[in-house]
Amino acid sequence: MNFPPVKEQLDLIQLHAVDVLPIEELEQKLQRSYNKKQPLIIKLGCDPSRPDLHLGHAVVLSKLRQFQDLGHTATLIIGDFTGIIGDPTGKSKTRPVLTLEESKENGRSYFEQASKILDPNSVNILYNSDWLSNLHFEDVIRLSSKYTVAQMLERDDFSKRYKTGEPISLHEFLYPLAQAMDSVHINSDVEIGGTDQKFNLLVGREVQRAYGLEPQCILTLPILEGTDGVEKMSKSLDNYIGLSDTPREMFGKTMSIPDVLIGRYYSLALFSPQSEVETIEQQLKNGELHPRNCKVELAKRIVSRYHSAEAGEEAFAEFERIFVKKDIPDVIDLLILSGENATSELPIVDLLVLTSLAESKSDARRLIQQGGVSVDGEKVTDPAMLTDITNERLLKVGKRKFLKVQYES
């Protein structure tokens, strides 16, 4: 195995990273790898509590791909076992606990989606239930002795919850320890994660040391804000751009991001060179570059990355038809409603819920009040409006959701 020079590797590894700890140890590992022509084991743990990946997940996956391109061994660990514990990162209370079956089911599509970024031919896919579920209670006690309660309370989330009197279940302390055992099991050299995972990654170092192994180095990456420009990208907040989104959805969502995030998306969603990002931000600042034109190019490149360049151009053309010329898409799904929950005439609120265009009746009323619902091109203003669907009707919700609906007895 011929690796690039160590300095060249370090420059690429540090690109976009927030923490590289300890940098001296990483350089030593890379030098030893270079001298022995032996790849490092690079670990990325994946939480399968939600099976759908988005551009926020793509940030860490892209860094793992860079390690692959440098010749190192990428190991993707699906946390089906740790998923039944529930990592409380960023939460103010305990997450709902998944069963092992639910956790495994959620993890099944992870590899297929991750392969849009990773080289699927050179990645090891492991499920941590394969070793964690075999631990005896004696093993758990021994593992628990490696870390103190005081050390656990150094974690920001635990500390805040403890000070405010919010419950912390003992099993939550086991999450970072279980994640650390993944590092022990594969003897990882480097672990990648978001900045919200820094504590867990550092625990992995200490537990590896306690088991007589050389501690892994850790590399953290920024958290990508969602399309709202405020919160972390999340499906539950509906501010995400999914890796499995259609080209049209991906393009439209990208065009909706706030202008202030353009440079950040070029940096983290595309891993563009820093020099390009700085040039774009400077041109936006001095008016040489219009934000809309810049977002069009950004959206094209994102669609091209996960679909194709042709799909990017087609998505742009359709976006122009819908949003610039106020047209409608060429292809719109038709939903036939029948059965006991459907009739030929329905309140618009019920119709939106029945067609899954709104999550609930309250959500439907909110969308109507905000002027985001139309039927056959006419804006709906009355949440109590009855809608006759004996014949095909065109529903539009927000800027991007179109659906044809018809009742069939």
Side-chain angles (χ1 to χ4, degrees):
M1 176 67 70
N2 294 317
F3 299 100
V6 171
K7 185 181 184 306
E8 183 179 323
Q9 292 190 61
L10 269 178
D11 288 344
L12 183 62
I13 290 168
Q14 293 180 84
L15 185 64
H16 307 297
V18 176
D19 299 293
V20 182
L21 301 172
I23 185 67
E24 299 82 5
E25 289 183 20
L26 177 58
E27 187 171 3
Q28 292 170 7
K29 286 176 181 284
L30 289 170
Q31 189 62 58
R32 185 173 62 221
S33 163
Y34 182 86
N35 293 341
K36 294 184 175 182
K37 300 187 182 302
Q38 181 177 338
L40 298 178
I41 297 173
I42 315 301
K43 172 195 170 190
L44 174 62
C46 307
D47 176 9
S49 60
R50 290 187 177 275
D52 301 313
L53 303 188
H54 50 63
L55 292 187
H57 300 111
V59 177
V60 289
L61 287 167
S62 296
K63 181 56 67 174
L64 186 60
R65 175 57 190 258
Q66 286 185 341
F67 274 102
Q68 283 185 301
D69 293 340
L70 291 173
H72 299 292
T73 302
T75 301
L76 196 63
I77 295 183
I78 307 295
D80 60 327
F81 191 88
T82 41
I84 70 175
I85 300 175
D87 179 14
T89 297
K91 301 293 181 182
S92 59
K93 58 183 179 180
T94 305
R95 274 186 182 181
V97 176
L98 299 175
T99 65
L100 185 57
E101 290 72 24
E102 289 171 331
S103 192
K104 273 185 173 295
E105 182 62 31
N106 283 351
R108 295 191 197 284
S109 68
Y110 208 110
F111 176 62
E112 180 181 348
Q113 295 176 74
S115 294
K116 292 175 179 288
I117 298 171
L118 301 177
D119 178 357
N121 299 313
S122 63
V123 60
N124 294 325
I125 307 293
L126 303 174
Y127 289 81
N128 65 10
S129 61
D130 290 345
W131 54 88
L132 293 179
S133 61
N134 295 325
L135 294 178
H136 298 291
F137 193 58
E138 178 184 353
D139 300 319
V140 177
I141 292 174
R142 187 176 295 113
L143 172 60
S144 300
S145 71
K146 309 299 183 185
Y147 232 71
T148 68
V149 172
Q151 286 176 299
M152 284 295 177
L153 289 177
E154 290 176 4
R155 177 170 170 159
D156 186 57
D157 182 69
F158 285 153
S159 176
K160 288 178 180 177
R161 288 164 59 189
Y162 180 73
K163 289 176 181 176
T164 57
E166 293 194 46
I168 304 173
S169 298
L170 287 176
H171 79 282
E172 293 184 74
F173 283 170
L174 294 177
Y175 185 95
L177 294 176
Q179 184 171 312
M181 285 304 292
D182 296 344
S183 297
V184 170
H185 182 79
I186 68 169
N187 194 15
S188 69
D189 292 301
V190 179
E191 182 168 9
I192 302 171
T195 51
D196 57 347
Q197 286 290 316
K198 183 177 179 179
F199 178 89
N200 292 346
L201 273 54
L202 288 170
V203 173
R205 277 179 56 81
E206 296 307 313
V207 172
Q208 279 183 307
R209 184 180 285 114
Y211 279 84
L213 301 175
E214 181 180 281
Q216 65 187 13
C217 296
I218 71 165
L219 191 151
T220 68
L221 291 146
I223 303 298
L224 182 64
E225 296 86 354
T227 54
D228 58 357
V230 179
E231 300 286 349
K232 169 184 175 180
M233 188 174 287
S234 167
K235 187 172 184 183
S236 62
L237 296 175
D238 196 25
N239 66 353
Y240 71 102
I241 301 173
L243 301 192
S244 297
D245 280 350
T246 64
R248 185 182 74 190
E249 291 172 326
M250 196 172 278
F251 193 99
K253 289 179 180 180
T254 302
M255 291 298 295
S256 74
I257 67 170
D259 293 350
V260 294
L261 284 184
I262 291 174
R264 193 162 172 82
Y265 268 63
Y266 268 95
S267 177
L268 299 179
L270 292 174
F271 266 37
S272 300
Q274 191 60 33
S275 58
E276 180 186 3
V277 175
E278 290 174 355
T279 298
I280 289 170
E281 290 181 330
Q282 182 60 41
Q283 289 178 336
L284 286 169
K285 184 178 180 180
N286 62 26
E288 291 180 50
L289 191 58
H290 194 283
R292 184 189 180 280
N293 296 337
C294 194
K295 278 194 277 190
V296 165
E297 181 61 26
L298 172 66
K300 283 183 182 179
R301 287 171 61 174
I302 288 175
V303 173
S304 297
R305 185 179 190 193
Y306 296 104
H307 294 280
S308 67
E310 182 181 8
E313 292 296 337
E314 290 175 353
F316 169 58
E318 186 163 8
F319 182 85
E320 290 284 288
R321 285 198 303 272
I322 297 171
F323 299 104
V324 178
K325 300 176 183 177
K326 305 299 181 183
D327 208 339
I328 63 173
D330 292 334
V331 179
I332 300 175
D333 292 335
L334 171 63
L335 177 64
I336 302 296
L337 294 179
S338 61
E340 59 182 25
N341 293 326
T343 62
S344 60
E345 192 174 59
L346 287 168
I348 184 62
V349 166
D350 293 348
L351 183 58
L352 292 176
V353 174
L354 196 58
T355 56
S356 298
L357 290 172
E359 295 181 358
S360 63
K361 289 186 179 182
S362 60
D363 183 40
R365 293 189 191 95
R366 177 184 60 80
L367 290 167
I368 292 169
Q369 289 168 357
Q370 292 175 348
V373 177
S374 66
V375 177
D376 291 339
E378 295 293 327
K379 185 176 293 186
V380 177
T381 58
D382 181 7
M385 183 186 86
L386 291 175
T387 306
D388 185 350
I389 55 172
T390 303
N391 298 311
E392 183 181 294
R393 308 297 294 272
L394 174 62
L395 304 181
K396 179 183 177 185
V397 174
K399 295 180 178 180
R400 293 183 295 272
K401 294 181 180 178
F402 293 85
L403 181 68
K404 292 177 181 177
V405 61
Q406 186 175 357
Y407 174 73
E408 186 177 273
S409 58

